[in-house]
C-alpha cells in the first residue's frame, strides 16, 4: 500500500460487489449495502461494469468468496465474535436485517479504515450490530493485543473473515497472522480466507493474471504471496487447526456458479475454511 493512502484494491473489490448486485442481480451474493457504500448511483455502477467486461471473472470470484464467508458465518456459534481482517468496504456489519448476533471487529490498515469511516458517513450508512474499529498493520502490529484492547473476549468463540488480503502480505505476516488467529480464543475459531494459487502456466489464464498483477502493482499494492494447496495445508497444520476445507476453481464454481460437476480445476483464487476446536487454553 502507498504510505498514508487507503487501499485502492479495497475500492475495486467494493465496486465488484456493487456491480454484482446490478449486473448479475446479486445471484450469488445479495448485499443490500453493496451499492450504497460506493456512493455511486446504480446507473454509474452498471456503466462502469459495461466499460470493463474483462472484470467478469474477478467479479464472480469476489461474489463467491463473500457468499462462502456468509455461509460459514451462518453456521458459526450464535455468540461468535466476528473479526473482519483487512475489512476494506466490507458490509457484514451494516446489513439491514442484521445477519449476526455478536460484535463485529473490523480490523484494517489505519489509512483504509479512516477512509471507510468517511465513506460510511457520506453514504449515511450505520452499523446494525455493535462494531469496533481496530487499526492494525499486519506487517508490524500485534493483532491479539489490538483486538483485546478493543474488547475482544478471548474466552468466547470467534469467526474470522480474511478476504482479499493474503496476496498483498509478506509470507511472514501471513504466518504471524494465522498464529495469532489460532491463539485468539480458547473456544472454537472459524477462519475463512482466500489465497492466490501459484500459477506456473503460460496460457491465456496466466496472461490475464499477469496483467492483473501488473495493474495492482502499478497502484502500489503488488501481489506478494501465493501458495500451492499443499503449502496452505501445512500452514494450518503448523498452527493446530483441526479441519481445513480448500476449494479451488472447480469447487467454488460448482457450488456457487452452477458449473457442471465434471468442470476441470485450474489455477485460481482458492477459498478456505479452517476450524480450530476450542482447547479451553489460550496461547
Ligand atoms: C483487496 S482489499 C480487500 C478488502 C475487503 N476484505 C474486501 O474483500 O472487499 C485489501 C485489504 O487489505 C488491507 N491491507 C493490505 N495490507 C495490509 C496490512 N499490511 N495491514 C492491514 N491491512 C492491510 C487493505 O487496507 C484492504 O482493506
Amino acid at each position: 500500500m502507498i504510505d498514508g493512502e487507503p487501499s485502492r484494491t479495497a475500492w475495486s473489490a467494493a465496486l465488484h460487489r456493487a456491480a454484482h448486485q446490478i449486473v448479475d442481480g446479486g445471484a450469488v451474493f445479495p448485499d443490500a449495502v453493496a451499492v450504497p457504500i460506493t456512493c455511486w448511483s446504480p446507473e454509474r455502477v452498471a456503466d462502469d461494469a459495461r466499460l470493463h467486461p474483462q472484470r467478469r471473472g474477478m467479479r464472480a470470484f469476489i461474489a463467491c468468496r463473500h457468499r462462502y464467508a456468509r455461509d460459514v458465518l451462518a453456521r458459526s456459534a450464535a455468540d461468535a465474535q466476528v473479526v473482519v481482517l483487512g475489512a476494506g468496504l466490507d458490509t457484514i456489519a451494516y446489513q439491514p436485517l442484521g445477519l449476526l448476533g455478536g460484535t463485529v471487529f473490523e480490523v484494517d490498515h489505519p489509512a483504509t479504515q479512516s477512509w471507510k469511516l468517511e465513506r460510511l458517513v457520506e453514504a449515511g450508512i450505520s452499523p446494525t450490530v455493535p462494531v469496533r474499529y481496530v487499526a492494525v498493520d499486519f506487517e508490524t502490529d500485534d493483532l491479539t493485543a489490538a483486538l483485546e484492547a478493543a474488547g475482544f473476549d478471548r474466552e468466547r468463540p470467534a469467526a474470522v473473515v480474511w478476504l482479499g488480503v493474503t496476496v498483498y502480505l509478506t509470507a511472514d505476516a501471513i504466518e504471524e497472522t494465522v498464529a495469532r488467529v489460532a491463539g485468539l480464543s480458547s473456544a472454537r475459531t472459524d477462519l475463512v480466507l482466500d489465497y492466490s494459487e501459484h500459477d506456473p502456466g503460460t496460457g491465456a489464464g496466466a496472461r490475464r493474471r499477469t496483467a492483473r498483477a501488473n495493474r495492482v502493482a502499478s497502484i502500489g499494492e503488488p501481489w506478494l504471496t501465493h501458495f500451492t494447496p499443499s503449502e496452505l495445508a501445512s500452514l494450518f497444520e503448523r498452527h493446530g487447526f483441526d479441519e481445513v476445507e480448500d476449494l479451488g476453481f472447480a469447487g467454488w464454481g460448482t457450488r456457487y456458479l452452477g458449473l457442471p460437476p465434471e468442470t476441470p480445476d485450474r489455477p485460481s483464487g482458492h477459498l478456505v475454511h479452517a476450524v480450530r476446536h476450542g482447547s479451553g487454553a489460550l496461547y
Side-chain angles (χ1 to χ4, degrees), residues 157-173:
V160 181
V161 176
W162 193 20
L163 297 177
V165 189
T166 57
V167 74
Y168 299 107
L169 300 180
T170 58
D172 284 351

Side-chain angles (χ1 to χ4, degrees), residues 1 7 9-10 13-14 17 65-66 85-89 108-109 112 136-139 163-165 168-169:
M1 292 177 53
S7 160
T9 59
R17 285 189 297 275
R65 81 182 184 200
H66 290 276
L85 297 177
L89 295 183
D108 209 341
H109 197 281
T112 309
V136 164
D137 182 335
F138 299 123
E139 299 290 345
L163 297 177
V165 189
Y168 299 107
L169 300 180

Side-chain angles (χ1 to χ4, degrees), residues 2 8 213-222:
I2 298 173
R8 305 254 308 261
N214 291 339
R215 214 162 39 241
V216 290
S218 75
I219 58 170
E221 295 178 53

